[in-house]
């Protein structure tokens, strides 16, 4: 979308042609409304990739090299999103290098298939773990949120849940998750069980690409389509070489005669597998050459970003929106976040009892173009403006639309 100098909205060609209302995104990198805008460099890479053929395994091997370099992991893989990475990570933890097990998933009869997770790490996204055939065993309580001073889960509760049937420990990385990753890794490794970390939205800071691998996680997943701004349908898995090999074996098309089987050696050692796998559980989540090329380029650009400058820019925008809105009656706008829980600072707008956040959110979404603001605080009569997906003109437009709808 763009805005003409007189503030008129100029919609993106394709959405106008299709007759679909566009969205002005003040809600941040939400998949439902398209995630983030893909980097120009990534888009160019995708266009170029569309002009020729390539062996997908070779391209995955090249991506693995880059992911290895930027995360410090032994290997990496590109999936069709962080959630697909969780599914494939679970499949790798359950099947390992056993071709027969790969062929049977999600049927796990006779296989260790339990994934132990602190209960407060459960999210809707972990359906992906179950889709691979895993059974989630969640432990702990919600005590911390009762305000008793107790923690949600004690290390011994995780330890007690690990047994013969355990395939992995699942961990969702957020600044507030407990116990810390180091403690969980230590327990899991004492029992020879891998730890799979969902860090889908935990970059920037860019250092986080390395942090969880360094802490000892065996597989870490990141979204390619959030702040990295690669194609929407990409995710990154970084981790142990044997687990990444298992992911590749369950994702790439492999069905050729053994004598003709020539997988990329950087990812797959054919001698370590007892036969050529057929299409695995990951096959419905395929990643094309264009997405692979786009993700590789986006990640290269992302790791070279001046993150401090980007943060300062978001901070300036959030303050600009707060200042403009504070001139209005019946609301208070403040800037919060930017560290820890949120990747970028947001402008939080608290309405007084004469106004309704629910009505405001609905009215904004109903416009043409639709205006999406952060709506997680509607219960507290709050809306939020996230600057990550807005330029200055769009930010001003959002502020104006909020004003008009008060
Ligand atoms: C966004 C998100 C996902 C899903 O990521 P995709 O790349 O869209 O598949 C999974 N887990 C968490 C915590 C997320 O924030």
């Amino acid at each position: 979308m763009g805005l003409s100098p007189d503030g008129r909205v100029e919609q993106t060609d394709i959405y106008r042609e299709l007759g679909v209302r566009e969205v002005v995104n003040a809600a941040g990198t939400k998949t439902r409304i398209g995630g983030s805008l893909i980097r120009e460099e990534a888009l160019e890479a995708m266009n170029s990739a569309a002009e020729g053929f390539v062996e997908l395994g070779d391209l995955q091997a090249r991506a693995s090299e880059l992911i290895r370099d930027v995360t410090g992991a032994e290997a990496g893989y590109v999936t069709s999103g962080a959630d697909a990475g969780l599914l494939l990570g679970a499949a790798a933890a359950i099947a390992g290098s056993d071709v027969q097990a790969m062929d049977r998933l999600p049927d796990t009869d006779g296989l260790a298939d339990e994934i132990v997770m602190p209960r407060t790490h459960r999210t809707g996204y972990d359906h992906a773990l179950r889709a691979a055939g895993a059974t989630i065993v969640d432990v702990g309580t919600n005590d911390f949120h009762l305000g008793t001073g107790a923690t949600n889960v004690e290390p011994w509760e995780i330890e007690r849940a690990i047994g013969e049937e355990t395939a992995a420990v699942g961990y969702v990385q957020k600044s507030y998750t407990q116990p810390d990753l180091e403690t969980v890794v230590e327990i899991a490794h004492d029992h020879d069980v891998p730890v799979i970390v969902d860090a889908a939205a935990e970059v920037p800071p860019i250092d986080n690409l390395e942090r969880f691998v360094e802490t000892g996680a065996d597989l870490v997943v990141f979204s390619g389509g959030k702040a990295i701004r690669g194609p929407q349908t990409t995710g990154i898995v970084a981790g142990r070489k044997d687990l990444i090999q298992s992911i590749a074996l369950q994702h790439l098309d492999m069905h050729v005669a053994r004598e003709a089987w020539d997988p990329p050696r950087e990812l797959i050692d054919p001698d370590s597998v007892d036969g050529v796998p057929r299409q695995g559980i990951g096959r419905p989540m395929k990643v094309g050459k264009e997405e692979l090329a786009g993700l590789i380029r986006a990640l290269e650009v992302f790791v070279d970003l001046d993150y401090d400058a980007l943060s300062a820019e978001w901070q300036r925008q959030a303050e600009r929106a707060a200042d403009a809105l504070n001139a209005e009656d019946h609301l208070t706008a403040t800037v919060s976040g930017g560290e820890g829980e949120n990747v970028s600072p947001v402008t939080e707008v608290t309405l007084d009892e004469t106004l309704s956040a629910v009505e405001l959110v609905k009215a904004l979404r109903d416009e043409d173009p639709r205006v999406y603001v952060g709506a997680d605080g509607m219960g507290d009569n709050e809306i939020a403006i996230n600057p990550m997906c807005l330029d200055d003109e769009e930010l001003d437009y959002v502020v104006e639309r909020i004003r008009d709808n008060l």
Side-chain angles (χ1 to χ4, degrees):
M1 204 196 71
L3 297 176
S4 64
D6 61 0
R8 245 176 354 101
V9 179
E10 286 171 352
Q11 293 210 37
T12 302
D13 290 349
I14 185 65
Y15 301 129
R16 186 164 36 72
E17 285 162 23
L18 296 174
V20 176
R21 267 187 294 168
E22 200 168 346
V23 169
V24 184
N25 181 5
T29 55
K30 299 268 191 279
T31 296
R32 201 175 321 126
I33 49 173
S36 56
L37 290 186
I38 187 168
R39 293 183 192 286
E40 194 62 41
E41 297 92 334
L43 209 48
E44 281 165 16
M46 290 177 83
N47 275 322
S48 178
E51 287 173 11
F53 297 94
V54 68
E55 165 71 51
L56 285 182
D58 290 344
L59 208 45
Q60 282 284 6
R62 178 64 185 79
S64 177
E65 198 181 306
L66 172 65
I67 295 168
R68 207 183 58 204
D69 286 350
V70 303
T71 64
E74 289 173 7
Y77 200 81
V78 179
T79 59
S80 60
D83 218 21
L86 291 179
L87 192 156
L88 284 160
I94 295 168
S97 58
D98 180 347
V99 176
Q100 297 182 34
M102 289 177 196
D103 195 53
R104 278 176 40 209
L105 293 186
D107 169 8
T108 58
D109 262 2
L111 301 169
D113 68 351
E114 291 180 358
I115 297 189
V116 175
M117 290 181 82
R119 187 158 290 142
T120 46
H121 290 221
R122 295 295 310 272
T123 74
Y125 292 112
D126 63 37
H127 196 149
L129 302 172
R130 292 186 285 128
T135 300
I136 296 175
V137 176
D138 51 16
V139 299
T141 63
N142 196 36
D143 276 0
F144 177 74
H145 299 99
L146 293 178
T148 60
T151 52
N152 282 331
V153 57
E154 293 294 331
W156 59 260
E157 291 179 290
I158 298 173
E159 179 138 39
R160 185 179 59 186
I162 297 177
E164 292 286 294
E165 296 305 315
T166 309
V169 171
Y171 190 95
V172 176
Q173 177 63 45
K174 287 280 165 192
S175 59
Y176 49 81
T177 42
Q178 37 159 272
D180 59 27
L181 182 58
E182 201 174 344
T183 306
V184 174
V185 163
E186 202 180 303
I187 296 168
H189 288 182
D190 271 352
H191 296 267
D192 274 335
V193 168
V195 178
I196 302 173
V197 176
D198 177 356
E202 300 315 294
V203 289
I206 294 163
D207 298 350
N208 276 359
L209 283 171
E210 292 176 283
R211 179 162 307 151
F212 316 124
V213 171
E214 214 170 84
T215 308
D218 300 272
L219 286 176
V220 185
V221 308
F222 298 99
S223 272
K226 290 179 179 166
I228 293 172
R229 291 177 56 197
Q232 267 307 290
T233 48
T234 56
I236 296 167
V237 187
R240 248 166 56 189
K241 199 165 191 320
D242 60 318
L243 292 171
I244 297 290
Q245 164 168 302
S246 181
I247 287 176
L249 287 166
Q250 298 185 73
H251 185 251
L252 294 169
D253 278 358
M254 296 280 166
H255 57 303
V256 294
R258 177 105 205 191
E259 310 75 57
W261 191 36
D262 184 26
R265 303 300 147 123
E266 302 88 338
L267 280 174
I268 295 167
D269 170 12
D271 296 332
S272 71
V273 228
D274 197 18
V276 183
R278 297 195 191 281
Q279 284 84 344
I281 192 149
R283 181 59 180 79
M285 290 160 278
K286 77 175 174 187
V287 179
K289 57 192 181 306
E290 297 82 6
E291 282 78 21
L292 268 154
L295 186 275
I296 290 170
R297 184 51 52 81
L299 187 56
E300 283 170 349
V301 175
F302 178 72
V303 295
D304 278 342
L305 283 183
D306 180 350
Y307 173 60
D308 290 340
L310 197 59
S311 282
E313 177 59 19
W314 287 333
Q315 182 73 27
R316 185 189 62 74
Q317 282 184 304
E319 279 165 13
R320 179 187 169 107
D323 288 347
L325 283 169
N326 273 325
E328 301 296 314
D329 296 330
H330 305 297
L331 61 77
T332 326
T334 53
V335 174
S336 76
E339 289 148 17
E341 296 184 27
N342 297 312
V343 166
S344 91
V346 295
T347 310
E348 282 176 354
V349 186
T350 308
L351 309 178
D352 75 9
E353 65 291 345
T354 65
L355 296 169
S356 154
V358 175
E359 293 305 317
L360 179 58
V361 165
K362 285 209 286 204
L364 289 166
R365 285 185 185 182
D366 225 28
E367 296 201 339
D368 186 6
R370 294 171 175 277
V371 176
Y372 272 62
V373 293
D376 294 344
M378 281 193 308
D380 295 324
N381 215 23
E382 238 176 61
I383 63 160
I385 302 170
N386 183 319
M388 278 179 84
C389 300
L390 297 170
D391 63 24
D392 274 352
E393 284 178 337
E394 288 163 348
L395 184 83
D396 291 343
Y397 180 77
V398 170
V399 167
E400 179 213 300
R401 297 319 309 146
I402 291 172
R403 275 204 198 110
D404 270 18
N405 277 286
L406 283 177

